[in-house]
């Protein structure tokens, strides 16, 4: 007679994964790893494990830890940040028309002769420019201290008594 060991039902939890304004309920055993959980998430969302960032009490980084040690409870909510392969590939492709039209809008003439820049250059230096005012203020202070007995040494910046 063969003895059959009774199979113990594995403890499992159902958690909700939020991704792109949708919630995906995922049931997984507590003794499975976070890496196994990522594969279940991929089945639901089409986001490969390498592109997943799962947020649950911080980011889940260690794929070798179990669901139990990660702290998953029944009804817990996780947030998924990631992109599907189709989204990644669609951003990598550049339409031919877009790349050729951007080069045609660039002009070979220098910026100083292009209309928006030429208008500013033709106006000249503004009257209320600040760079020169500070220089003239310092110069007048220096000349004042030369002709009058001013109790401050400009080099050492100490008050003379």
């Amino acid at each position: 007679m063969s003895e059959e060991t009774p199979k113990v039902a594995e403890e499992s939890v159902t958690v909700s994964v939020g991704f792109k304004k949708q919630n995906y309920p995922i049931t997984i055993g507590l003794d499975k790893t976070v890496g196994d959980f990522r594969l279940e998430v991929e089945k639901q969302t089409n986001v490969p494990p390498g592109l997943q960032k799962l947020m649950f009490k911080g980011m889940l980084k260690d794929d070798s830890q179990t669901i139990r040690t990660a702290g998953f409870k029944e009804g817990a909510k996780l947030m998924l940040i990631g992109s599907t392969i189709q989204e990644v590939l669609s951003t990598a492709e550049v339409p031919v028309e877009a790349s050729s039209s951007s080069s045609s809008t660039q002009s070979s003439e220098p910026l100083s002769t292009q209309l928006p820049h030429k208008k500013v250059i033709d106006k000249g230096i503004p009257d209320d420019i600040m760079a020169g005012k500070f220089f003239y203020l310092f110069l007048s202070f220096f000349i004042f201290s030369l002709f009058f007995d001013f109790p401050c040494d400009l080099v050492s910046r100490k008050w003379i008594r």
Side-chain angles (χ1 to χ4, degrees), residues 15-88:
V15 295
S16 177
V17 177
F19 178 62
K20 293 191 177 183
K21 298 181 183 179
Q22 291 184 348
N23 288 322
Y24 299 94
I26 298 176
T27 303
I28 190 154
L30 287 173
D31 296 325
K32 298 280 187 177
T33 63
V34 173
D36 296 333
F37 180 73
R38 287 182 189 274
L39 294 174
E40 291 295 321
V41 170
E42 180 183 18
K43 290 177 187 175
Q44 296 276 334
T45 62
N46 294 325
V47 178
L51 298 177
Q52 293 177 7
K53 288 185 182 175
L54 287 168
M55 305 294 287
F56 177 72
K57 297 180 182 177
M59 192 175 335
L60 292 174
K61 295 181 181 179
D62 187 13
D63 284 353
S64 63
Q65 71 178 344
T66 64
I67 300 299
R68 187 184 313 271
T69 58
F72 285 25
K73 303 285 184 203
E74 184 69 30
K77 294 183 180 181
L78 287 87
M79 184 173 63
L80 172 64
I81 301 170
S83 302
T84 63
I85 293 291
Q86 292 82 14
E87 292 170 340
V88 171

Side-chain angles (χ1 to χ4, degrees), residues 100-145:
S100 63
S101 65
S102 65
S103 63
S104 65
T105 58
Q106 293 178 348
S107 177
S108 61
E109 64 181 316
L111 286 175
S112 61
T113 59
Q114 292 179 8
L115 185 62
H117 301 284
K118 187 161 178 49
K119 285 181 182 178
V120 174
I121 291 172
D122 288 343
K123 285 183 181 178
I125 299 173
D127 296 331
D128 60 345
I129 193 164
M130 295 298 291
K133 287 186 178 182
F134 289 117
F135 174 73
Y136 290 119
L137 180 66
F138 174 77
L139 185 63
S140 61
F141 179 76
F142 181 72
I143 291 171
F144 180 81
S145 66

Side-chain angles (χ1 to χ4, degrees), residues 87-101:
E87 292 170 340
V88 171
L89 293 177
S90 68
T91 59
E93 296 173 0
V94 177
V96 177
E97 301 86 30
S99 63
S100 63
S101 65

